[in-house]
Amino acid sequence: MAATLQEILLTPDNRPKVVADCQTLIDQEVSDKSGISGTAIKLAYKTVTAFASGIIHDAVDTLLPDFVAKLEPYYADFVASGGSAFGDFLAKQGAEVSEALLSVTDARAAQSERAPIKKAYNTVRPSGVKNVEAALPRLGALIQKYTG
């Protein structure tokens, strides 16, 4: 039987690399944004990162097990289907996968006692599904780097 994402991504050897790769992916996705909504995302990102240095790294590290748990059924289906590109597989179910991942950050934002972070998150959340969907091909490729 194939290893689970948890068994692959959350090992002591892989987890720090996965966190660093996720932070790079987030930086790339934010950098790629344009237009009015892109400006709002960039401002929110700048606000959050200025408020607390290292917060993105820490948030990814903290939330990674929950993200992995949300992705696990999709990965199992991908493996069972014999697919070749996990990013494409995720993108085909974009809205569903995005909502699953956003449920993790929604819960975290709701628990935050940091008003600037909550405000920044609430500013960008309405476009969250669209933005997460756009990142799914990169996310799938990142995961496949460790599973393939």
Side-chain angles (χ1 to χ4, degrees):
M1 173 137 185
T4 66
L5 284 182
Q6 180 177 340
E7 293 167 338
I8 297 166
L9 301 178
L10 301 181
T11 66
D13 286 343
N14 283 344
R15 185 176 178 147
K17 296 176 208 169
V18 172
V19 170
D21 285 349
C22 286
Q23 184 167 357
T24 299
L25 182 148
I26 293 166
D27 290 343
Q28 290 170 336
E29 288 294 323
V30 170
S31 177
D32 287 353
K33 299 300 175 203
S34 61
I36 294 171
S37 65
T39 301
I41 289 167
K42 288 177 181 180
L43 181 60
Y45 192 71
K46 184 177 179 179
T47 299
V48 168
T49 56
F51 179 74
S53 176
I55 194 164
I56 301 301
H57 176 275
D58 294 347
V60 170
D61 190 43
T62 299
L63 298 175
L64 187 60
D66 294 331
F67 286 136
V68 169
K70 295 292 182 180
L71 289 169
E72 198 74 64
Y74 298 103
Y75 181 70
D77 289 348
F78 169 73
V79 170
S81 74
S84 62
F86 190 43
D88 291 344
F89 184 86
L90 292 175
K92 287 178 184 164
Q93 301 172 72
E96 180 184 331
V97 174
S98 297
E99 285 292 355
L101 293 171
L102 286 166
S103 72
V104 173
T105 55
D106 288 348
R108 178 70 174 204
Q111 294 172 356
S112 177
E113 295 180 7
R114 297 176 179 171
I117 291 174
K118 277 182 134 170
K119 184 177 180 183
Y121 183 79
N122 290 332
T123 299
V124 298
R125 178 53 174 98
S127 60
V129 170
K130 177 183 73 161
N131 291 313
V132 173
E133 274 189 82
L136 291 176
R138 280 183 177 160
L139 178 62
L142 182 158
I143 291 168
Q144 228 168 348
K145 173 180 168 180
Y146 296 93
T147 63

